Each structure stands twice: as structure tokens, then as C-alpha cells.
């Protein structure tokens, strides 16, 4: 595997692009398929040697074995919220205990890795909870912390704060009673199951005409209410490993904060993806060489930002998704 090509491909995979830098696409609302990424890479003026289509397709398939695409919907569309909970973990959790966490009601994703922040290095458990009432969130926390005495909640942040376009019209997705239109519901079900499914295949699977699928998809893509994120299912890729970092920063300061980080060479060199989908947090995904390199990248950013900065990094994160939760909500 060509490490540089893998890095370039992953940088193009987020849809609708890096929302820390620009808003939703006005013209190009296509999802990041292998061919779309191949076109983007070949269009780069700075690239002297263009990769072959077969090479891009091969590396793209390898990337998808490590990064699982997630079709994420603005929870507010269903009168819900999503909160990310960060727990100190226990390396000796049994498989049965991990399964209990994954099967906790309203849990959308579970992630484990090695966390690092100002208070030290420790095993970390991150859990996304999708809920309608605050009681559901508190019940999930109680059930998770009750699984093991070693699991302790130490941070929470409301996540997936979307930035829909001002002209988004919910009537395009819902009937007057607020329920999803039948065609939209069918499309969303399939997109949750397979976010990168070709639109022609989407038409065949749903039984909806191709023209209708294309029109509704275009509306979905440009609404600002939907996006594709990636969960790390295998933290090693082409000889590299993944590092996630969250920077605690007020929403009003995010633009200036990103501008400052862009001046740090190691930040721009290692950055793969970033997004603003968390309230008061900038989320980033980096590549690293190994454990020592992970410590070096985190320490470099801490020195650059100063002692007052709050950075929480997770090395070699591994995620477990619960698509059934979104499907249940869509069908309700």
C-alpha cells in the first residue's frame, strides 16, 4: 500500500467535506465514491504524477476496511439529541461486559482506545447516546457505570450540532403531521445501512424511480441535515495508526482557533479529517506512525497551544456501531 495515496484518499472521504473550513457544497453534492475521489486527486494542480484509477480504487477499498462510513442525521429532525460520553475504561473488561455497553438502550456507538490529556494516560471508553428525554441519557450513564467499578464518567459533550442551510425546508422530508414521507424514509433506511450505495442501486433496492431518487437525494444532500462521518473499525492502516483529538474551544472562537492551528506544520501534515459537529469542541483525526509518535504529536500541539489549552487525544480508537438504533427511529 502507498501510504501517501491512502492519506490523500482519507482526506477526501468526509462528506460534505471538512465543515471546519467550508459549508455544504452548492454544486457538487455527490458522496465520496472511489471514482469521485479519483477525479478529485487527478484535478489537484500540485500533483505531478497522477495515480491510476485502479490504484485509487484498490487503496479506497483498503481504507473502507479500516474506516466504516456512517450516515448521520441531524437528531433534531426527530426531536432528539446526541451526547458523547467519555469514561475512564478498564483494560480487563470482558467481552460480555463490552456487549452490555453496546446493547444499552439508546447507545449509537461505542469506541475504545488509549486516552491522553492533562491528567495522564489511561484506557478510554467513548459512548454516543441518542435520546429524546434527559432521563434516557441519565439511565444510559447509570447502566454503563454499573457494569464495572472501573468505569467512571469524566466528560460529556452534546454532539452532532448541525449547521443546516438557511433555506432548508422540512416539508421536503415530512408530511404535514411531521412524519417522514414514505420515499424519504425508504431512502434514509438504505443510506443508513449503506451510506455509499450508488444511486442506481438505491433506486432498485427501494423500488423508487431513478429520477425520483436523484431528486430526493439532491434535496437530502443540500439540506445540511445529513452527513457521512467515519468510525475507526481497524486502527491500523497501511502501516500507520489513527489518532483522534478533541480541542475544547467555544463556538465563537473556532474560526480563529483553526487559523492558529493551521500554522503548526505537524497539525497540517498529520490532519486527515476534522469537523465542528460537537458543541464547543473541534474533532480531528490524524495519522501517526506508532505509540511514541502519538505522544509526540499530542505534546507538540500542547506546547504550541499553551498550558491553558484542553486537548483530549485517543490513540488507536476502535468503534462499534449500532445502525439498528437509527433505523428504529426512522421507522417510528
Amino acid at each position: 500500500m502507498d501510504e501517501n495515496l491512502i492519506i490523500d484518499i482519507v482526506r477526501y472521504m468526509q462528506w460534505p467535506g471538512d465543515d471546519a473550513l467550508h459549508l455544504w457544497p452548492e454544486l457538487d453534492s455527490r458522496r465520496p465514491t472511489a471514482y469521485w475521489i479519483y477525479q478529485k486527486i487527478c484535478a489537484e494542480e500540485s500533483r505531478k504524477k497522477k495515480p491510476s484509477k485502479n490504484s485509487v480504487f484498490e487503496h479506497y477499498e483498503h481504507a473502507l476496511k479500516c474506516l466504516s462510513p456512517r450516515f448521520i442525521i441531524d437528531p433534531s429532525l426527530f426531536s432528539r439529541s446526541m451526547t458523547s460520553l467519555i469514561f475512564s475504561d478498564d483494560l480487563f473488561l470482558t467481552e460480555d461486559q463490552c456487549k452490555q455497553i453496546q446493547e444499552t438502550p439508546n447507545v449509537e456507538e461505542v469506541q475504545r482506545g488509549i486516552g491522553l490529556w492533562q491528567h495522564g494516560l489511561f484506557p478510554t471508553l467513548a459512548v454516543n447516546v441518542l435520546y429524546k428525554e434527559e432521563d434516557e441519557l441519565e439511565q444510559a450513564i447509570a447502566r454503563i457505570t454499573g457494569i464495572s467499578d472501573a468505569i467512571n464518567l469524566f466528560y460529556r459533550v452534546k454532539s452532532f450540532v448541525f449547521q443546516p442551510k438557511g433555506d432548508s425546508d422540512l416539508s421536503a422530508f415530512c408530511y404535514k403531521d411531521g412524519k417522514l414521507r414514505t420515499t424519504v424514509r425508504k431512502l434514509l433506511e438504505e443510506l443508513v445501512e449503506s451510506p455509499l450505495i450508488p444511486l442506481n442501486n438505491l433506486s432498485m433496492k427501494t423500488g423508487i424511480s431513478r429520477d425520483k431518487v436523484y431528486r430526493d437525494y439532491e434535496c437530502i444532500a443540500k439540506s445540511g441535515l445529513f452527513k457521512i462521518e467515519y468510525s475507526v473499525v481497524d486502527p491500523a492502516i497501511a502501516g500507520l495508526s489513527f489518532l483522534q483529538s478533541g480541542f475544547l474551544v467555544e463556538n465563537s472562537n473556532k474560526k480563529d482557533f483553526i487559523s492558529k492551528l493551521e500554522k503548526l506544520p505537524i497539525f497540517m501534515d498529520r490532519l486527515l479529517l476534522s469537523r465542528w459537529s460537537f458543541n464547543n469542541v473541534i474533532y480531528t483525526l490524524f495519522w501517526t506512525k506508532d505509540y511514541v509518535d502519538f505522544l509526540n504529536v499530542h505534546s507538540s500541539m500542547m506546547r504550541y497551544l499553551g498550558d491553558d489549552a484542553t486537548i483530549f487525544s485517543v490513540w488507536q480508537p476502535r468503534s462499534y456501531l449500532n445502525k439498528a438504533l437509527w433505523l428504529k427511529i426512522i421507522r417510528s
Side-chain angles (χ1 to χ4, degrees):
M1 290 283 109
D2 183 334
E3 291 181 1
N4 292 325
L5 184 54
I6 282 284
I7 289 170
D8 289 340
I9 288 172
V10 173
R11 281 174 171 160
Y12 276 119
M13 285 174 68
Q14 187 169 328
W15 181 86
D18 185 351
D19 53 4
L21 300 178
H22 55 74
L23 298 177
W24 287 79
E26 292 294 337
L27 301 174
D28 190 354
S29 58
R30 291 177 297 167
R31 291 159 298 153
T33 61
Y35 184 67
W36 183 88
I37 289 177
Y38 167 70
Q39 289 181 309
K40 290 290 186 182
I41 289 176
C42 288
E44 292 176 354
E45 295 182 0
S46 60
R47 185 179 290 273
K48 296 179 180 179
K49 185 178 180 181
K50 311 297 182 184
S52 69
K53 184 191 297 184
N54 286 342
S55 179
V56 171
F57 277 47
E58 178 186 356
H59 284 72
Y60 178 84
E61 289 300 320
H62 184 76
L64 286 183
K65 292 178 181 178
C66 301
L67 292 166
S68 177
R70 304 165 60 206
F71 190 79
I72 301 296
I73 305 168
D74 185 344
S76 67
L77 188 60
F78 299 98
S79 302
R80 284 172 167 80
S81 300
M82 187 181 288
T83 290
S84 291
L85 307 169
I86 311 296
F87 301 85
S88 56
D89 194 358
D90 181 354
L91 280 177
F92 300 101
L93 282 178
T94 66
E95 288 188 15
D96 182 63
Q97 288 174 314
C98 291
K99 189 175 181 181
Q100 289 179 52
I101 295 171
Q102 295 168 39
E103 293 178 350
T104 299
N106 301 308
V107 166
E108 187 262 351
E109 181 187 32
V110 177
Q111 182 186 90
R112 300 188 73 191
I114 301 298
L116 174 63
W117 74 326
Q118 283 87 334
H119 297 280
L121 185 72
F122 51 90
T124 302
L125 179 71
V127 181
N128 284 347
V129 179
L130 184 60
Y131 58 95
K132 199 165 189 177
E133 305 292 341
E134 288 292 327
D135 285 351
E136 295 173 331
L137 173 62
E138 297 306 322
Q139 288 168 12
I141 293 172
R143 289 190 59 163
I144 293 168
T145 53
I147 289 172
S148 169
D149 291 339
I151 298 177
N152 295 292
L153 177 67
F154 71 89
Y155 198 77
R156 66 172 81 186
V157 58
K158 186 163 287 188
S159 58
F160 298 106
V161 181
F162 280 54
Q163 298 176 350
K165 293 177 66 65
D167 57 356
S168 293
D169 184 4
L170 292 182
S171 66
F173 307 113
C174 303
Y175 294 115
K176 290 183 179 180
D177 62 3
K179 290 187 176 295
L180 283 177
R181 293 179 179 272
T182 303
T183 54
V184 172
R185 176 178 53 77
K186 289 182 178 180
L187 294 180
L188 292 182
E189 288 176 3
E190 294 299 332
L191 287 169
V192 167
E193 290 277 19
S194 181
L196 299 174
I197 183 174
L199 295 186
N200 287 346
N201 294 359
L202 190 56
S203 172
M204 290 186 287
K205 290 202 70 173
T206 59
I208 303 171
S209 71
R210 189 170 68 172
D211 287 346
K212 177 66 172 171
V213 166
Y214 273 72
R215 287 197 304 271
D216 281 359
Y217 165 74
E218 192 73 10
C219 183
I220 287 170
K222 291 186 176 180
S223 70
L225 298 170
F226 310 87
K227 63 177 66 176
I228 293 175
E229 302 288 0
Y230 291 84
S231 293
V232 180
V233 293
D234 185 346
I237 181 170
L240 304 173
S241 61
F242 289 118
L243 157 65
Q244 293 179 340
S245 290
F247 301 86
L248 187 61
V249 54
E250 293 297 322
N251 287 333
S252 59
N253 297 330
K254 282 182 176 178
K255 187 174 181 180
D256 291 339
F257 190 83
I258 281 288
S259 296
K260 181 176 181 179
L261 278 175
E262 286 176 339
K263 297 174 183 176
L264 180 63
I266 197 169
F267 177 86
M268 294 305 296
D269 177 55
R270 302 302 185 86
L271 182 65
L272 294 171
L273 302 171
S274 67
R275 55 182 167 89
W276 290 14
S277 301
F278 293 84
N279 190 29
N280 296 339
V281 172
I282 293 175
Y283 163 90
T284 55
L285 180 69
F286 299 100
W287 63 267
T288 61
K289 298 172 185 176
D290 49 36
Y291 174 73
V292 174
D293 191 42
F294 149 62
L295 297 177
N296 178 55
V297 173
H298 179 91
S299 299
S300 296
M301 292 189 296
M302 282 296 300
R303 287 194 300 270
Y304 177 72
L305 293 173
D307 294 336
D308 293 334
T310 300
I311 307 174
F312 182 71
S313 296
V314 179
W315 183 59
Q316 289 201 327
R318 188 184 295 272
S319 302
Y320 306 88
L321 302 178
N322 179 16
K323 293 182 179 181
L325 180 58
W326 273 118
L327 293 174
K328 178 182 178 180
I329 292 171
I330 291 170
R331 292 165 180 165
S332 62

